[in-house]
Amino acid sequence: FLNLFENGIISPPQASQTPETNKTEFDKQRDAFKLQLQLAAELNRPVSVHSVRSSGTILEILNATENLPPSICFHSYGDLFLS
């Protein structure tokens, strides 16, 4: 599917609650985010990341990732990214 849209971006989904626990599964979200970063890097695609109260975790993941996508666009409500 991604091969059909050569200019498409990879956009990880926002955190959502599981019906069973009614809680956000951050460990699963973190693992999925890492896989999506890897996929975007392999396909040479940009990534769009929406972050709410997780900028520290996202920066830790990005700093630990060896092969990053060509570009990453952050958008957030309630977080402050400082470089």
Side-chain angles (χ1 to χ4, degrees):
F1 179 77
L2 289 171
N3 292 329
L4 296 175
F5 301 98
E6 294 179 7
N7 295 320
I9 65 170
I10 307 293
S11 183
Q14 298 176 21
S16 57
Q17 296 177 339
T18 58
E20 297 84 15
T21 64
N22 203 31
K23 294 182 180 179
T24 302
E25 303 286 342
F26 286 108
D27 290 339
K28 291 179 183 178
Q29 286 291 129
R30 187 180 303 113
D31 293 343
F33 180 59
K34 290 177 184 178
L35 290 172
Q36 290 167 327
L37 283 175
Q38 180 182 2
L39 176 64
E42 288 173 11
L43 296 175
N44 198 35
R45 303 287 179 89
V47 173
S48 174
V49 178
H50 176 78
S51 167
V52 176
R53 295 183 307 270
S54 60
S55 59
T57 300
I58 289 173
L59 290 175
E60 286 175 13
I61 292 169
L62 293 175
N63 286 329
T65 302
E66 290 184 25
N67 190 20
L68 290 171
S71 62
I72 302 171
C73 173
F74 292 97
H75 52 106
S76 174
Y77 304 99
D79 274 352
L80 176 62
F81 282 94
L82 300 173
S83 52

